[in-house]
Amino acid sequence: MANAVRALAMDAVEKAKSGHPGLPMGAADIATVLFGRVLKFDPADPHWFDRDRFVLSAGHGSMLLYALLHLTGFPQMTMAEIERFRQLGSRTPGHPEAEMTEGVETTTGPLGQGIATAVGMAIAERHLAATFGSDLVDHRTYVLASDGDLMEGISQEAIALAGHLKLSKLIVLFDDNGISIDGPLRLADSVDQVKRFEACGWAACRVDGHDPAAILAAIEAAQQSDRPSLIACKTTIAFGAPTKAGSEKSHGAPLGPEEIAGARRALGWTAPPFVIPDDVLAAWRAAGARSREARAAWQARLAARTAEERAEFERRAAGLVPAERLDAALAAIKQRLAADPKDRATRASSEFALETLVPALPELIGGSADLTGSNNTRPKGMPAFSPETPAGRFIHYGIREHGMAAAMNGMALHGGIVPYSGTFLVFSDYCRPSIRLAALMGRRVVHVMTHDSIGLGEDGPTHQPVEHLAALRAIPNLMVFRPCDAVETAECWALALAAAHRPSVLALSRQNLPQLRDATAPGNACAGGAYELLPAEGGDAQVSLFASGSEVAIAAAARRLLAERGIAARVVSVPCFELFFDAPQERRQAVLGTAPVRVAVEAAIRQGWDAIVGSDAAFVGMTGFGASAPAPDLYRHFGITPERVAEIAAERLRQG
Amino acid sequence: MANAVRALAMDAVEKAKSGHPGLPMGAADIATVLFGRVLKFDPADPHWFDRDRFVLSAGHGSMLLYALLHLTGFPQMTMAEIERFRQLGSRTPGHPEAEMTEGVETTTGPLGQGIATAVGMAIAERHLAATFGSDLVDHRTYVLASDGDLMEGISQEAIALAGHLKLSKLIVLFDDNGISIDGPLRLADSVDQVKRFEACGWAACRVDGHDPAAILAAIEAAQQSDRPSLIACKTTIAFGAPTKAGSEKSHGAPLGPEEIAGARRALGWTAPPFVIPDDVLAAWRAAGARSREARAAWQARLAARTAEERAEFERRAAGLVPAERLDAALAAIKQRLAADPKDRATRASSEFALETLVPALPELIGGSADLTGSNNTRPKGMPAFSPETPAGRFIHYGIREHGMAAAMNGMALHGGIVPYSGTFLVFSDYCRPSIRLAALMGRRVVHVMTHDSIGLGEDGPTHQPVEHLAALRAIPNLMVFRPCDAVETAECWALALAAAHRPSVLALSRQNLPQLRDATAPGNACAGGAYELLPAEGGDAQVSLFASGSEVAIAAAARRLLAERGIAARVVSVPCFELFFDAPQERRQAVLGTAPVRVAVEAAIRQGWDAIVGSDAAFVGMTGFGASAPAPDLYRHFGITPERVAEIAAERLRQG
């Protein structure tokens, strides 16, 4: 059966003239044990909620997964798709893409992401089992990881977190083939992975990766452990290839006809390319059908629940955040704000919003990378998630931004959970690869990122984001919100949670900001991405001032200064570029207005603003790194003040 | 003596009403042993090349370092500066900044960066000792790291690399205080750090961090090890504070007058704020003078070298890359290109350039994150750096982009080396925090980043950068080069190496590109960031086509198509935005030209281009993620073709 995987991998890579045959051939025995005898799944229902999750962290070995999906009978994964490996529009792209292919649990390829994402899946399982009962949620998460996955730093964050949380249903199979792209692994690495995982609280062992009985025994032992488990499987890359087995030459390029012919002989595989002998296919299809009864039993258990329980479970599983519930929550937050208006940092406004949202939406699982009090992501009374309290909803991720972001992806992919968490905006750089994957996969994760400008003050340029808003806005499909006050913060939260297929960043201030919006007005003004917050008074607008976040108050003050000089100015708040670009042309035009002078204000670099205000507009912001000083000193030092905004607007108007 | 450190830290944080007193007070005993008895340094010559390097990886404890610099007598670090802690323009910013303060070896604060940077310093020492002899280069690198440093994933990349390379002169002191911002470390972590480091090939031990004799003994043992060493020092955060010692409350906020008074009593410290008793100061100053003789002896050894040896050592130490040497190398590369014109991927053109540059500049130390053959960063015959061959100049970094980028920073900070290395452009996301620090510190590191667009083809969207050029261009002070052919690649290499105080990224193609430039022309056309590559023919230009990298050939082909339609178009190559922005206004205007229609072409998102071509210009590029398919299919699929560029230009011209 394993040779069927090897043959398909060789043939598909050869036909595509591109790809990675080495890993599928080397790990075929591991995968055959896993998919043939262990994994709980049913190709007839790829989305069955209680299936085991399998993550191919070594995404370059995509043909391993595609071969398994075909052989076990996933309807989408026809032989025609295998033959179209790496071609435009196929379900068999170069690296596995979750949104493209049923049976692919997460998009992998950037190394380390898979194993870290799997940690989130295992967290989700643990939490949901505690919430809904293990008769409905009781599955494992398996990972196939390569040495590259374990060299990436994110793997340390992931395994330390998993070990700490005692995620005993997480089992990592390490394809220990001793080969990386540059050659033998000893060129670059000499880590004792078993010892390293043990140091992080894992059970760990070594087996022969070509001995199915040993692999199975190790998995069965791992299933009994009270800790997450590493099984280091010693394998030969491109097992079966006559001259390239055990060599980096088989890693990332087709083997070539001669080598493939030799491998067929060595493996005793006589079928032509893309043909699986009937008996082998039958055995695989039988393996694919192993869990059919388990699924039926699960469905019966679900059906036996009360209608209410079933509805809630199915709602959560489907990722349905009801619009009416969000609307009601937003209204409730605004009502509370109307009763308690005061200056608040938007990070505090976010906590204020969460005080309503967290009770309203049990699927919200919060967290912070050891900045809980600074990020304000833990409203009072939200219990921590821990091995002893798996129903807890707040995760202490530790100082592990990258592992946190990947775990959030895993929770969102697993389903039943809408994860949010917190760090400083400047540390978005630490977790960009995972944020990018969330955007590529179209998953709803919400990153609360506070201390969003020089306004954080004394911590200085290492902690002051100046380019991060631009860099995040550059990621396709990611929504970057930068609300200006408590009302906008609540509205942006509602928009982030409503977007089932987009990740979000909420960029929030450390410093206090005035409440600019009337909390009693209904609706969601932020939904269009930008809107006129303050109209021109005393005639047509001569100046349009655009700003986001903490600079909206500066624009509002500049508008007053301009009014004193007899210049009518309006203020446009721009909480979300992406939603503005999505808005209809005429709405965008109305928001932009017709004033001859436009000035944009943001305590960050200009890049990105031209697409809204035009390259001829003036811009007041940053052109380089910040500095360490109290925030008011910095705003003065860098010239981001109402006085300067008003002066520049007036000067532009004079010049005509 | 340690209490002097504690007092200054308490008082400075209190006066600034901002900062982190806990770490300096907790680690004062460790630091006193290190600076008082171990570290080889001389405040009279902070830049002495053979000094030991000390890296405060836990940068939030900056007052620890400032106190030590003051007490040991660094001239810049006056008591007035201590009193101006965290104020605008002081030498005592919130986190240590290398460019700001003598005695600060590297900018820290973003956790994990310090320890990873220190690995590069230790590599530099090892290499230079092998190159110039241990009579001139023989020093150690010490790191003070916190639990946060060790939780960050980059720490794993760093320690695995250091262990593999057997960097025995690297000694990490772990301030094991069991407290993080959220509270007790056990909330988020349960890693056995000693075991983890041992698994990575380190010597590791535990000591009482308040027992100077034990600390000293551990350091002396570490100095004898043939491996890098971890000394886990059990400490009490805010040691001496009556109620906040051992609590997260002392981590990141002033202690308050009452607590400070209590700490003074507990420590027996009677001097007023910002006053160091004479006897204590004298003891510290004596400690600061410990290595004066060692420095004199070193200077004598340097003076005893031949004039040629001394000149080369001093040139390297000063980071002087002579312009004439670069000019000659560039001319030689162009001569070789003129003799061998052919289509080349710019990654291959980069290797072609390195074949000349590496022999010409012995300070170049190359590398790759396990993509050597793909990045083309290792010209033939360049020996590997390893424990056995420390004079080798090519580093197998393993699949550790973040650790690699930080190590490069460390080499550049150490001096004597100009590091370059390689990965895929999409993985710039994995090492952004280190690239950002290089930009903030103004250090010459060169990142070769290949596979720079959808042109990489089948590997698909996980590997195809679309937003990365914009995201990198957003980082202040970083130069992003995207050359269009072999001649531009050589010119960009010369510019990157000439910029002593800026880091660079070279974004290079996987796919072959035609040689568009005449290799026989002298000078460096890329120096202005953009230039007219192909003039309009048959009259004034009606269309200006702007492009970078692999799309310049597409623009050139579009120009021909337009010419067939009787439309005169010119092509402007834009290899470096940053240098273009730095160019004089009139030069910029000349390059932009006066054609009524402008079209920019880049196989990436538009963000950033508006600043050059204006927001009214047309743009042909990407608006979302790529896909997995052969590269020519993708260019057609996403409409980045000469035909489409020509059509859009012609249509714009028709519209007027």
Side-chain angles (χ1 to χ4, degrees), chain A residues 47-374:
Chain A
H47 303 289
W48 174 27
F49 197 78
D50 201 33
R51 70 191 181 278
D52 287 342
R53 305 309 196 261
F54 171 71
V55 172
L56 180 66
S57 195
H60 55 276
S62 56
M63 263 313 302
L64 177 75
L65 183 50
Y66 301 149
L68 293 164
L69 296 180
H70 172 74
L71 292 167
T72 55
F74 280 74
Q76 271 189 352
M77 192 53 71
T78 61
M79 190 62 89
E81 292 291 346
I82 302 281
E83 294 195 50
R84 293 180 62 227
F85 181 52
R86 294 187 153 226
Q87 304 308 303
L88 196 60
S90 76
R91 292 197 191 278
T92 48
H95 293 81
E97 296 180 38
E99 291 309 291
M100 191 75 92
T101 313
E102 285 185 344
V104 173
E105 300 285 2
T106 180
T107 298
T108 52
L111 289 168
Q113 296 294 327
I115 185 171
T117 302
V119 170
M121 294 178 180
I123 291 173
E125 195 274 347
R126 183 75 157 249
H127 175 75
L128 294 171
T131 305
F132 289 103
S134 56
D135 58 325
L136 289 188
V137 183
D138 182 14
H139 53 267
R140 293 193 167 79
T141 304
Y142 295 91
V143 178
L144 185 69
S146 63
D147 38 54
D149 288 301
L150 303 188
M151 277 196 263
E152 290 286 0
I154 188 177
S155 70
Q156 180 62 25
E157 302 184 19
I159 69 174
L161 183 62
H164 178 71
L165 294 174
K166 296 194 170 61
L167 300 175
S168 55
K169 289 161 96 174
L170 174 64
I171 298 176
V172 173
L173 298 143
F174 167 31
D175 177 36
D176 184 12
N177 62 28
I179 293 293
S180 70
I181 291 178
D182 276 4
L185 192 61
R186 64 174 178 274
L187 281 176
D189 194 56
S190 42
V191 172
D192 179 341
Q193 296 292 359
V194 164
K195 187 169 179 180
R196 173 191 171 205
F197 275 74
E198 285 174 348
C200 297
W202 288 53
C205 68
R206 290 189 173 87
V207 300
D208 174 353
H210 298 298
D211 178 346
I215 297 165
L216 183 61
I219 293 175
E220 286 172 348
Q223 290 175 340
Q224 302 308 316
S225 175
D226 60 350
R227 292 172 289 166
S229 295
L230 173 80
I231 303 172
C233 307
K234 196 83 199 162
T235 61
T236 300
I237 192 171
F239 183 91
T243 72
K244 294 184 180 174
S247 159
E248 69 276 13
K249 295 194 183 89
S250 70
H251 169 85
L255 296 180
E258 202 169 319
E259 186 80 4
I260 291 178
R264 283 186 133 76
R265 277 193 300 276
L267 299 169
W269 187 264
T270 55
F274 302 109
V275 172
I276 306 297
D278 287 347
D279 57 333
V280 175
L281 188 60
W284 269 113
R285 291 288 153 95
R290 268 185 308 110
S291 306
R292 200 147 291 173
E293 281 177 31
R295 179 163 73 90
W298 179 86
Q299 284 172 321
R301 291 195 298 275
L302 178 59
R305 291 290 189 101
T306 68
E308 195 182 354
E309 286 175 345
R310 202 167 60 239
E312 178 64 1
F313 179 81
E314 288 174 341
R315 181 189 76 77
R316 295 270 304 260
L320 189 69
V321 177
E324 55 274 23
R325 208 185 288 197
L326 271 182
D327 291 346
L330 180 56
I333 298 164
K334 288 189 181 179
Q335 199 168 15
R336 289 171 50 223
L337 281 174
D340 183 19
K342 63 174 181 185
D343 288 5
R344 286 182 174 88
T346 45
R347 60 178 172 141
S349 300
S350 171
E351 181 173 3
F352 191 95
L354 286 170
E355 286 166 2
T356 295
L357 291 166
V358 166
L361 297 169
E363 57 265 53
L364 283 179
I365 302 292
S368 170
D370 194 45
L371 291 167
T372 301
S374 299

Side-chain angles (χ1 to χ4, degrees), chain A residues 600-637:
Chain A
V601 194
E602 187 169 71
I605 62 164
R606 175 173 186 142
Q607 188 178 305
W609 274 96
D610 291 334
I612 294 181
V613 296
S615 47
D616 293 333
F619 181 78
V620 176
M622 300 291 290
T623 57
F625 294 107
S628 172
D633 294 356
L634 291 173
Y635 271 91
R636 274 191 299 275
H637 177 70

Side-chain angles (χ1 to χ4, degrees), chain B residues 59-346:
Chain B
H60 54 276
S62 56
M63 263 313 301
L64 176 75
L65 182 51
Y66 302 149
L68 293 164
L69 296 179
H70 172 75
L71 292 167
T72 56
F74 280 73
Q76 272 189 351
M77 192 53 71
T78 62
M79 190 62 89
E81 293 290 347
I82 302 281
E83 293 195 50
R84 293 179 62 228
F85 181 52
R86 296 189 153 225
Q87 303 309 303
L88 196 59
S90 76
R91 293 197 190 279
T92 48
H95 293 83
E97 297 180 36
E99 292 308 292
M100 191 75 90
T101 314
E102 283 186 344
V104 173
E105 300 285 2
T106 180
T107 299
T108 51
L111 289 169
Q113 296 295 326
I115 185 172
T117 301
V119 171
M121 294 178 180
I123 291 174
E125 195 273 347
R126 183 77 157 249
H127 175 75
L128 294 170
T131 304
F132 289 102
S134 57
D135 58 325
L136 289 189
V137 183
D138 182 14
H139 52 267
R140 292 193 168 78
T141 304
Y142 295 91
V143 178
L144 185 69
S146 63
D147 39 52
D149 288 300
L150 304 189
M151 277 196 264
E152 289 287 0
I154 188 176
S155 70
Q156 180 61 28
E157 302 184 18
I159 69 174
L161 183 62
H164 178 71
L165 294 175
K166 296 192 169 65
L167 300 175
S168 55
K169 290 161 96 172
L170 174 64
I171 299 175
V172 174
L173 298 143
F174 167 32
D175 177 36
D176 184 13
N177 63 25
I179 292 293
S180 71
I181 292 177
D182 276 5
L185 192 61
R186 64 174 179 276
L187 281 175
D189 194 57
S190 43
V191 171
D192 179 340
Q193 295 292 358
V194 164
K195 187 169 178 179
R196 173 190 171 206
F197 274 74
E198 285 174 347
C200 297
W202 288 53
C205 68
R206 291 189 172 86
V207 300
D208 175 352
H210 300 298
D211 178 347
I215 297 165
L216 183 61
I219 293 174
E220 286 172 348
Q223 290 175 340
Q224 302 307 315
S225 175
D226 60 351
R227 292 172 290 167
S229 295
L230 173 80
I231 303 171
C233 307
K234 197 81 199 161
T235 61
T236 301
I237 191 170
F239 183 91
T243 73
K244 293 183 179 174
S247 158
E248 69 277 11
K249 295 195 183 89
S250 70
H251 168 85
L255 296 179
E258 203 168 318
E259 185 80 5
I260 290 177
R264 285 184 131 77
R265 277 193 300 276
L267 298 169
W269 187 262
T270 55
F274 303 109
V275 173
I276 306 296
D278 287 347
D279 57 333
V280 176
L281 188 60
W284 268 113
R285 290 290 152 94
R290 269 186 305 110
S291 307
R292 201 147 292 173
E293 282 175 32
R295 180 164 71 89
W298 179 86
Q299 284 172 322
R301 290 196 298 275
L302 178 60
R305 291 290 189 103
T306 68
E308 193 182 355
E309 286 174 346
R310 201 167 61 238
E312 177 65 0
F313 179 82
E314 288 175 341
R315 179 188 77 77
R316 294 271 303 259
L320 189 69
V321 177
E324 54 274 24
R325 209 185 287 199
L326 271 183
D327 291 347
L330 181 55
I333 298 164
K334 287 188 179 179
Q335 199 167 13
R336 289 172 50 224
L337 281 175
D340 184 18
K342 63 174 181 183
D343 288 6
R344 287 181 173 86
T346 45

